Structures are given as structure tokens and as C-alpha cells.
Amino acid sequence: MGFIMEFAENLILRLMEDPKERDRKFRERVYAVKDRCQKTKEMWSYPLRPYGFWTFERHNAQLAWDAKISQVPGRRDPYDDLLQDSYGFPK
């Protein structure tokens, strides 16, 4: 009977994985995910356009003279509507 128990114990131990090896693989995976996340955060923090790209004078001038851009509701000056209403200009 002892032989069967010893055989079963050895079989189970051979089938089990080494806890130190399992922990090492888990740490490697966690560190790899952490590095990938850190790299993703750094990429997300980059501006899509360099600083000052939208603030140069040519772009600001275009906002003033291009009617499609200057008259949209988000860019339109709310006081312009009041002035047009008071003077009777059509919208």
C-alpha cells in the first residue's frame, strides 16, 4: 500500500508547477504590462500638434475672414446676434 501512495505523491508533485517559476513568470508578465501601459500613457501625453500650431497669426486671420469658420455657433460672437437683431439684419 505504501508503494501506491508514494507513486501517487510523486505523480502529483511532477504534475504540479514550481511556485518560484510560476511567480517569476507572473512578475515578468506584470512588469511587461506595466511597461506597455507606461509607454501608452507617454504617447497619449504628446500633443497631436506642436505647441503654438493653432495660435499663429495665419490661422487666427483665417478665423476672421472665412465665413464658414467664423459664423459657426461655437465661434460666433454672441453679441453679433444681439447687434443683428437690434438693427434688423437677416441671419
Side-chain angles (χ1 to χ4, degrees):
M1 193 68 171
F3 170 75
I4 295 175
M5 292 300 289
E6 185 179 338
F7 176 76
E9 182 181 351
N10 285 335
L11 180 66
I12 290 171
L13 287 175
R14 272 189 285 141
L15 293 175
M16 288 178 58
E17 58 187 352
D18 182 25
K20 290 181 182 177
E21 182 69 19
R22 181 185 63 223
D23 288 345
R24 184 186 62 78
K25 287 182 181 179
F26 179 73
R27 285 183 196 279
E28 286 176 359
R29 182 180 176 280
V30 168
Y31 289 145
V33 169
K34 181 182 177 205
D35 291 340
R36 194 173 68 226
C37 291
Q38 189 66 30
K39 187 183 291 185
T40 302
K41 281 189 199 176
E42 288 175 7
M43 293 301 291
W44 284 352
S45 69
Y46 291 149
L48 295 178
R49 300 284 188 198
Y51 176 75
F53 182 83
W54 299 111
T55 59
F56 62 93
E57 197 55 41
R58 167 77 170 83
H59 184 264
N60 291 336
Q62 182 181 6
L63 290 178
W65 59 259
D66 191 352
K68 289 182 182 176
I69 297 175
S70 63
Q71 299 302 315
V72 294
R75 296 195 186 273
R76 187 173 173 80
D77 189 5
Y79 294 109
D80 287 345
D81 292 333
L82 293 175
L83 290 173
Q84 285 184 357
D85 290 342
S86 65
Y87 289 113
F89 291 121
K91 288 186 179 181

